Amino acid sequence: VFAASILAVLGPFLSWGDFLIRKDTRKELRQRVANIKDIPPNSRITFPFPQTNNPQIDGDPFRQYGLIRLPTGELRAYSKVCVHLWCLWDYFSTEREIQCPCHGSVYNPDTGVAVRGPASFQPYPNNSLPQLKVEVDGNGDIFVSQLDGRMGYGREWKRLLSGLIELNGASPGQEVTGYVPFRRPLTVSEVESLTSRYSVRPTMLYGYRGQAKEREWLKAETIQQAQAEMEGVYAVDVLGIPGDLLRLADDKSVVVVMLRE
Ligand code: FES
């Protein structure tokens, strides 16, 4: 009776939604991180999110994110906490890999999905780094927001396939472009046989030539051009109908197929 009386008096003054459901404010924050001029292609910077400007709080490993500018110029912002046993990873530009120093997990920097080491054997979604949404404004300022996933746990990256699944139901004959990162670099001939096996056409190949520090990152619009220039291919854009792209996504050499906007 006492508790009920207290609630009756305080009820109108309480925000019950906030009180009963702990809101994850990180999903609503939008924070400036740097300017695009501060990050050369194929490099990374580390930043705290959400930033408080209190060094003790901002130094918490679970607030650390790595902003990577890929050789293609695209940006990715991943939690620095490895989903294996929570060490902090680093980006190795020569190998073009995210590597964890503790037990050797390696992540694909395009997707944040673990491709080697103990994290790669963990069941989905515990095999991929949580990711922030990244936007660049007209001045080149980079903003992050909307955490996708849980630090140290992973994210539901397979829902990237949901757009393709919907299209397969609504317009099964409409050709679309998908971005396809590989678990390990393929030769150009392997890419040619993989894409013809699933009846999709490569429209852009992302690869490299040279070893270690000499490595050069390349793009090619055709298989012939890639044959002439590349030693390895780490991803492709392909054109095909949604059903074929979904079959390709199940191939063991493929991480996932992301629908291009
Ligand atoms: S903590 Fe990263 S591989 Fe074990």
Side-chain angles (χ1 to χ4, degrees):
V1 170
F2 176 73
S5 326
I6 297 279
L7 288 177
V9 172
L10 294 180
F13 305 103
L14 290 175
S15 169
W16 290 104
D18 290 356
F19 179 69
L20 294 172
I21 303 164
R22 188 165 162 258
K23 288 208 299 195
D24 188 350
T25 49
R26 285 170 313 206
K27 298 207 169 177
E28 294 158 15
L29 281 168
R30 189 168 187 268
Q31 177 181 310
R32 183 187 177 281
V33 177
N35 189 277
I36 196 81
K37 292 198 294 277
D38 304 332
I39 316 177
N42 204 19
S43 69
R44 73 115 182 90
I45 59 169
T46 300
F47 65 96
F49 179 85
Q51 187 164 13
T52 64
N53 294 323
N54 175 330
Q56 268 184 328
I57 296 174
D58 288 348
D60 180 336
F62 276 75
R63 278 179 192 254
Q64 304 304 302
Y65 288 80
L67 178 66
I68 300 174
R69 188 165 174 203
L70 301 171
T72 55
E74 290 176 82
L75 295 161
R76 302 282 189 273
Y78 298 116
S79 162
K80 290 246 3 197
V81 180
C82 176
V83 294
H84 180 223
L85 292 174
W86 299 1
C87 291
L88 301 186
W89 56 258
D90 205 351
Y91 178 62
F92 289 81
S93 57
T94 306
E95 293 83 0
R96 208 177 172 284
E97 288 176 345
I98 293 171
Q99 298 177 7
C100 179
C102 289
H103 316 101
S105 286
V106 173
Y107 298 84
N108 179 324
D110 292 353
T111 59
V113 175
V115 291
R116 294 204 301 277
S120 71
F121 296 112
Q122 294 180 170
Y124 159 84
N126 193 212
N127 61 346
S128 51
L129 297 168
Q131 185 172 9
L132 290 165
K133 182 177 176 186
V134 184
E135 294 165 299
V136 184
D137 74 7
N139 299 321
D141 286 327
I142 302 166
F143 292 86
V144 293
S145 60
Q146 293 180 25
L147 178 66
D148 176 7
R150 271 188 283 153
M151 271 91 65
Y153 178 75
R155 75 178 195 277
E156 300 277 342
W157 53 269
K158 273 195 184 164
R159 72 178 168 208
L160 293 169
L161 291 178
S162 62
L164 270 177
I165 293 167
E166 270 173 37
L167 268 178
N168 195 33
S171 330
Q174 182 196 330
E175 285 197 317
V176 286
T177 301
Y179 174 69
V180 186
F182 301 127
R183 289 189 181 276
R184 61 166 180 82
L186 302 183
T187 63
V188 178
S189 304
E190 285 174 322
V191 172
E192 191 173 20
S193 75
L194 177 79
T195 49
S196 67
R197 195 155 68 244
Y198 292 99
S199 311
V200 296
R201 294 193 304 286
T203 55
M204 185 68 79
L205 295 91
Y206 304 88
Y208 60 86
R209 81 171 152 227
Q211 296 298 316
K213 289 196 165 46
E214 307 296 314
R215 187 163 279 184
E216 188 184 352
W217 301 101
L218 303 164
K219 283 190 207 177
E221 290 182 4
T222 62
I223 289 281
Q224 292 71 21
Q225 186 191 350
Q227 286 282 20
E229 298 175 355
M230 290 180 185
E231 289 172 11
V233 181
Y234 61 86
V236 282
D237 282 330
V238 293
L239 190 67
I241 58 171
D244 289 335
L245 292 181
L246 284 168
R247 288 193 304 118
L248 174 65
D250 277 338
D251 190 278
K252 63 181 185 322
S253 64
V254 166
V255 176
V256 70
V257 176
M258 298 185 212
L259 203 51
R260 287 279 193 198
E261 297 283 318

